[in-house]
Amino acid sequence: SVNGGRIPYDNYQTLDVIYEYIDKIAEDYPETVTLVSSSKSFEGRPLKYLKISKDKFASNKPVIFIDAGIHAREWISPPTVTYAIHKLVENVTEPDLLENFDWILFPVVNPDGYVYSFERERMWRKTRSTDQNVLSQFCPGVDGNRNFNFEWNTIGTSNNPCSDIYAGSKPFSEVESRSVGEIIDEHLDRMVLFITMHSYGSMILYPWGHNGTLSHNAFSLHTVGIDMADAINKLALPHFPNYVVGNGMLVLNYAVAGAAEDYAHYRGIPLTYTLELPGLRSGFAGFHLDPIYIHQVCIETWESFVIGARRAGEL
Ligand code: ING
Ligand code: ZN
């Protein structure tokens, strides 16, 4: 559990422990941390995220958003965000990051799926909702990262509730993806960097994922992405793959519509990325990153957040 306001990085943590940690951080740093817990998941769990700011978002600082855990089985993603929370509130090694930015950190966007992956089915990816589609009663869940309201359900998605890439009955049918959409809306004028954490593949992907074309901001997206990847590669263990940076569709060789990264960029956020954390094997085994690597991945990923923030601040 959360001893002395710390969360262990030697193993994957349950939702309860992650939430206990978030609550404790908000309690321990009332000057800088605001806990937001205003909406609930399909199954009624609170959707919790933290706003971290030197003056509690009273300022007009640029905002940086990082989320994880929209896909349930990608267990390595939430710890990279709790680690970022730890580094920001501790505010020792990179004080410029709290001086120059306001932060929104959302460690588990899909708590229902995360719990289901821990307790029932390790390879669960989607939310746990049901809708009017008859199949949905037998096959719950929507792919949160196909549910955003941009080019929704046009490519790389399914209309079948039993599919792992089911786009849902309509854009933002899921309260979980909608909660990310609402954060984007609320901070449109100030959000300069949006990163959504996934696994696996060691990749930094940028728009447009739905058709492989480059956005007006492709030069910045690419160069900042490269700098973020370099920061990780420099620290990475020798037997870990180097990060690859590029347009989501061109790197993966398939198109994806309704993803968070595309939506955030379409709404006007200049730098939006999907960061695919490491997985050392292929197929489903790639989601089973040995817990001995959690701490290392958090440390190296933090470096990419540091560089990404600083570069975003210069643009
Ligand atoms: N990968 C992403 C997915 O949602 C992706 C890949 C996202 C591609 C966004 C392009 C744009 O399928 C994982 N691991 O979920
Ligand atoms: Zn994912």
Side-chain angles (χ1 to χ4, degrees), residues 71 74 125 143 145-146 198-200 205 209 248-249 252 254 256 259 261 274 276 287:
H71 286 149
E74 300 170 11
R125 165 177 166 99
D143 184 344
N145 209 30
R146 301 291 182 279
H198 287 255
S199 79
Y200 59 100
L205 309 174
M249 183 190 153
L252 295 170
Y254 58 81
V256 167
E261 157 211 321
T274 302
E276 298 278 0
F287 297 107

Side-chain angles (χ1 to χ4, degrees), residues 48-274:
K48 294 191 185 193
Y49 62 88
L50 296 180
K51 293 181 171 190
I52 306 182
S53 169
K54 231 181 173 165
D55 27 40
K56 281 222 151 184
F57 272 69
S59 72
N60 286 312
K61 288 178 189 172
V63 171
I64 296 174
F65 172 90
I66 308 171
D67 78 75
I70 195 167
H71 286 149
R73 65 193 173 196
E74 300 170 11
W75 288 6
I76 184 59
S77 74
T80 63
V81 176
T82 57
Y83 189 81
I85 291 169
H86 156 73
K87 294 294 284 183
L88 286 167
V89 296
E90 205 178 45
N91 196 25
V92 173
T93 51
E94 290 90 7
D96 58 308
L97 297 187
L98 214 50
E99 196 59 52
N100 298 332
F101 302 96
D102 290 338
W103 295 78
I104 301 178
L105 298 166
F106 197 161
V108 188
V109 172
N110 172 19
D112 296 349
Y114 190 74
V115 168
Y116 196 77
S117 170
F118 261 69
E119 295 180 357
R120 305 278 162 188
E121 195 180 324
R122 174 67 183 86
M123 284 302 136
W124 193 258
R125 165 177 166 99
K126 302 186 289 177
T127 62
R128 291 293 302 163
S129 66
T130 51
D131 59 37
Q132 296 310 308
N133 190 313
V134 279
L135 279 178
S136 161
Q137 304 306 313
F138 308 98
C139 293
V142 167
D143 184 344
N145 209 30
R146 301 291 182 279
N147 192 238
F148 286 77
N149 192 11
F150 175 62
E151 295 286 327
W152 177 79
N153 206 13
T154 54
I155 191 164
T157 53
S158 174
N159 290 315
N160 183 346
C162 298
S163 164
D164 249 353
I165 51 172
Y166 177 45
S169 58
K170 56 177 193 230
F172 284 137
S173 60
E174 304 309 284
V175 62
E176 294 84 3
S177 48
R178 203 161 67 232
S179 70
V180 173
E182 283 164 4
I183 296 170
I184 294 170
D185 280 345
E186 204 181 315
H187 303 91
L188 259 195
D189 50 329
R190 301 201 268 148
M191 201 179 279
V192 293
L193 176 61
F194 175 100
I195 306 175
T196 184
M197 305 302 294
H198 287 255
S199 79
Y200 59 100
S202 304
M203 297 178 288
I204 298 182
L205 309 174
Y206 56 78
W208 302 106
H210 73 96
N211 66 5
T213 61
L214 295 181
S215 92
H216 60 91
N217 205 32
F219 178 80
S220 298
L221 281 163
H222 194 75
T223 53
V224 174
I226 292 279
D227 288 351
M228 289 168 62
D230 282 347
I232 300 176
N233 292 337
K234 237 186 280 173
L235 281 189
L237 298 174
H239 62 293
F240 273 57
N242 273 314
Y243 271 71
V244 169
V245 181
N247 170 282
M249 183 190 153
L250 300 181
V251 168
L252 295 170
N253 223 3
Y254 58 81
V256 167
E261 157 211 321
D262 268 15
Y263 178 76
H265 198 52
Y266 151 75
R267 298 289 280 134
I269 316 302
L271 298 172
T272 71
Y273 297 99
T274 302

Side-chain angles (χ1 to χ4, degrees), residues 7 12-22 41 45-46 48 78 107-116 118-119:
I7 190 168
Y12 296 106
Q13 303 300 325
T14 61
L15 182 73
D16 286 347
V17 170
I18 295 172
Y19 275 8
E20 187 190 340
Y21 177 72
I22 294 175
S41 70
R45 296 184 176 85
K48 294 191 185 193
V108 188
V109 172
N110 172 19
D112 296 349
Y114 190 74
V115 168
Y116 196 77
F118 261 69
E119 295 180 357

